[in-house]
Amino acid sequence: ITSFLVLEEAPPILLIAIGLDNGCIYCIKGDIARERITRFTLQVEPVSDGTSSPITGLGFRVEGQAHQLFAITPSSITLFSLHHQPPRRQTLDQIGCETNAVAMSDRMDLIVGRPEAVYFYEVDGRGPCWAFDGEKKFVGWFRGYLLCIIEDQRSRKNTLNVYDLKNRLIAHSMPVGDVSHLVTEWGYIILIMSDKRILCIGEKDMESKLDMLFKKNLYTVAINLVQSQQADPASTAEVLRKYGDHLYGKQEYDEAMSQYIHTIGHLEPSYVIQKFLDAKRIHNLTNYLEKLHDRGLASKDHTTLLLNCYTKLKDVEKLNHFIKDEDGVGEIKFDVETAIRVCRAAGYHEHAMFVAKKAGRHELYLKILLEDLARYDEALQYISGLEANQAGLTVKEYGKILVDHRPAETVKILLRLCTDGGDPTTRRGSNSMRLLMIPSPMDFVNIFVHSPQYLMEFLENYIKAVKDSPAQTEIHNTLLELYISKDLSFPSMSQENDFDDHNSKERKGKEITNGYKSGTREKAKLGKEENKTAKDIVDRQRKGLALLKSAWTPEMEEPLYSVDLALIICNANAFKDGLLFLYEKLKLYKEVISCYKQAHDHEGLIACCKKLGDSTQGGDPSLWGDLLNYFGELGEDCSKEVKEVLTYVEKADVLPPIVVLQTLSKNPCLTLSVVKDYIARKLEQESKLIEDDRKSVDKYQEETELMKREIEDLKTNAKVFQLSKCTACTFTLDLPAVHFMCMHSFHLRCLGDNEKECPECAPEYRSVMEAKQKLELNARDHDLFFRQLRGSKDGFSVVADYFSKGVVSKTTIPPENAP
């Protein structure tokens, strides 16, 4: 037996190959413990001349269910395919090797050591070879390393070399003595020496390996090592960083940056950036920042730095590629606001606009258009293409600029936004959800802060298009303030004035010799401006009065504007017509009279009293007293007006003559002739009334005396009843009969149960008693008394009426012992 090899297929099934010195291989397969085995023999080389080569090495190769066996002799290398029956033989090479110079790699390749080199064999023949001089006493494989014990031909000393074939280096080398066996097991390389000693060699840990490589500046080897060992990415990045630092120290900046780029994601970017901030190395810094953005690990500061690099280099091509990302394909891999800010600062406005548009940052896009490029028409067109909500937000933010430069176009856009394009089918009524979702015009009022005339135009067009807006009250309040205010500033007029002033300055030198003409022109121009302003105020106030009336019609209980605000505006701007309308609607008649008094409008004052002083129409008659009091305190001749007032006072009988005389007597400019006719007519009326009252008194006195005599007669004289017929049934009166003091007689049977009162006189008596009880009850109702007193033209007559009915004169005398 020259070689021996065991393969454990599936426990307890074993495949044992025994190499013999006659060139045969004796194979045993099966469960040896149970003696369920099969035996077969393989012949490596046919025996021709009676000599045979011994088997110097064996190696199994397993690929799925296929089993292959390498057999090595000093003169050949043969491959047997055991999954064929009978096994198929294939000669791979006509050169073999000596004993112990055979091993199998991790990739199931056959390793053969010869004096000139080490050869690798695969199933289809010879593969790569490695030229190592010296006789290979032993060949092995350990964790990706090739192990060779080589005998030096001169000194005859053995040396153990551990080759790292991937990195092309000798990982370890040490002299050894006479070795009898080489074994790799339990994570160690074990050498069994001829003198019965055992040498155990272990692999160092990764950190120790790397330290050794770093000391020797073998950074490439260290990188390959950590990659081959499948180390974690952080460890690999640390090795790459050290290699980059090494190259940076040698001023090999391009190579250093290539290593730093591989550390992205594990190494802090600021560590690399601060090394390349010098202007001479800006290209390397740009490359690093680009890679950082490609991997999505860049911050706002990194974006700022990269864009600054592009702008410093004036590399428009790279800037286009970074910003536009191959014609806009792909997601944005940088901070949008930072990119826009840097591009704007560097003057690359088109690039900033592209980023803003691609990111959907409409407000930033418009900010560049309006503030940097002053392309107002393009901005308006862009806003028109946005959705309603987004368009509304952008107009709120940049509306002031748009109104200052393109007011008419801005108003059109706002009308379209607030009226839903003017399509009435989309507005189904005041409760429509669609209408509530449309922006309110009051949201955009602030953008017209310097252009009130366009605000008026916008709101006027809006209320024409939308009749049931939820913001009607606010809109009307704003319009009233615009209409009624006198001190509105119109930028268009100011610009015209500035232009005229500029022209006048240019003409000043030419007209200096003709000062009269120049001054005349200036005065004419100022006069035209004043006339234009006055006309504008009148027109606006006319619109304001129309709005006050249309938004508070007689059918409405409440107006479509704030009454308090309207009153304040009218008062502040001395808008008399508006105040009169509001006071009248609020039934503040005395304030209406005060307005006319302040204006000394006597004709209007009298007309107002005629309209508002008629109690039959719900007016206030006391206005006539206020009017007379005004004329009495006027201190000037107003005889004509007083006579006209007295005519209506006399007709409506709203004031007693004595009050009229006392009031007018305060005015020293009025003569007695003003009130002479009025007093004469009143005295005549009073005299007639007095005469009528005297006649009534005489009549009531006679009736009273008559009643007293009747009562006295009833008390003192006997009453003779002479009726012969019953008052009720008109039949002859017979006994039993009942005679009443009212001279009515009845059969007893005709009276029934009611024997105590006359059926004929009882209803009248009862009505008198009920009236008396009612008066007594009314005497306790003080509210009724004072209501009648306040509602009567003559309070004295009300009190006298209560006295005449005996209500007020009745007093209750409390008992003497009452508490």
Side-chain angles (χ1 to χ4, degrees), residues 671-708:
T671 61
L672 186 61
S673 61
V674 176
V675 295
K676 178 180 178 182
D677 296 338
Y678 167 75
I679 294 300
R681 289 192 296 272
K682 278 294 181 180
L683 289 175
E684 184 180 354
Q685 291 177 2
E686 292 294 335
S687 300
K688 184 178 179 181
L689 290 175
I690 291 172
E691 185 63 27
D692 292 341
D693 290 340
R694 183 176 289 109
K695 292 179 179 179
S696 299
V697 169
D698 294 341
K699 178 182 176 182
Y700 291 147
Q701 286 180 348
E702 292 177 359
E703 292 178 355
T704 303
E705 288 297 328
L706 180 60
M707 290 180 182
K708 288 181 179 180

Side-chain angles (χ1 to χ4, degrees), residues 77-307:
I77 297 177
T78 308
L79 178 65
F80 291 95
S81 298
L82 302 181
H83 54 281
H84 292 90
Q85 293 298 332
R88 187 171 64 185
R89 183 172 62 85
Q90 178 185 358
T91 301
L92 299 180
D93 203 346
Q94 296 297 330
I95 303 175
C97 69
E98 298 300 325
T99 306
N100 297 326
V102 177
M104 294 295 293
S105 71
D106 293 338
R107 297 178 59 186
M108 306 301 288
D109 294 336
L110 177 66
I111 306 173
V112 176
R114 296 173 187 156
E116 72 280 5
V118 175
Y119 297 88
F120 283 74
Y121 287 87
E122 298 179 0
V123 292
D124 54 353
R126 183 190 297 176
C129 69
W130 300 83
F132 303 138
D133 289 338
E135 182 181 354
K136 308 333 185 263
K137 302 290 288 184
F138 289 91
V139 174
W141 189 265
F142 176 74
R143 292 182 178 177
Y145 298 103
L146 175 63
L147 309 177
C148 291
I149 297 178
I150 301 176
E151 182 182 8
D152 192 351
Q153 294 179 358
R154 295 178 182 179
S155 61
R156 295 296 175 181
K157 292 183 179 180
N158 296 331
T159 303
L160 171 63
N161 289 334
V162 180
Y163 297 99
D164 186 349
L165 301 181
K166 182 177 182 180
N167 298 313
R168 299 177 182 273
L169 58 85
I170 299 175
H172 185 67
S173 179
M174 63 177 292
V176 294
D178 190 9
V179 180
S180 61
H181 291 88
L182 171 63
V183 181
T184 57
E185 193 60 70
W186 307 302
Y188 293 96
I189 302 172
I190 300 174
L191 300 178
I192 302 176
M193 314 305 290
S194 299
D195 57 359
K196 308 303 181 184
R197 291 185 299 111
I198 297 177
L199 182 61
C200 185
I201 302 171
E203 185 179 10
K204 290 184 178 181
D205 60 90
M206 180 65 70
E207 186 176 355
S208 301
K209 292 180 188 179
L210 294 175
D211 288 340
M212 293 174 63
L213 294 173
F214 292 153
K215 289 177 182 179
K216 297 178 181 181
N217 292 330
L218 298 175
Y219 292 98
T220 305
V221 177
I223 293 170
N224 294 332
L225 179 62
V226 294
Q227 291 177 348
S228 63
Q229 295 294 328
Q230 297 181 352
D232 60 282
S235 301
T236 305
E238 180 63 20
V239 176
L240 293 169
R241 181 193 66 79
K242 290 185 177 181
Y243 187 28
D245 292 345
H246 172 71
L247 295 173
Y248 185 86
K250 294 170 62 177
Q251 296 185 356
E252 297 178 3
Y253 302 116
D254 294 339
E255 292 79 3
M257 179 53 71
S258 65
Q259 300 304 319
Y260 286 133
I261 287 174
H262 292 300
T263 65
I264 292 176
H266 303 283
L267 181 62
E268 175 60 36
S270 59
Y271 178 85
V272 180
I273 292 172
Q274 66 181 357
K275 290 178 177 290
F276 293 88
L277 285 177
D278 191 353
K280 296 179 181 179
R281 298 189 287 275
I282 192 171
H283 294 281
N284 299 119
L285 180 59
T286 303
N287 185 23
Y288 181 79
L289 292 171
E290 287 175 347
K291 300 298 182 183
L292 203 62
H293 281 81
D294 289 339
R295 300 189 185 182
L297 299 174
S299 66
K300 296 180 180 180
D301 296 331
H302 299 150
T303 302
T304 303
L305 189 57
L306 178 58
L307 292 173

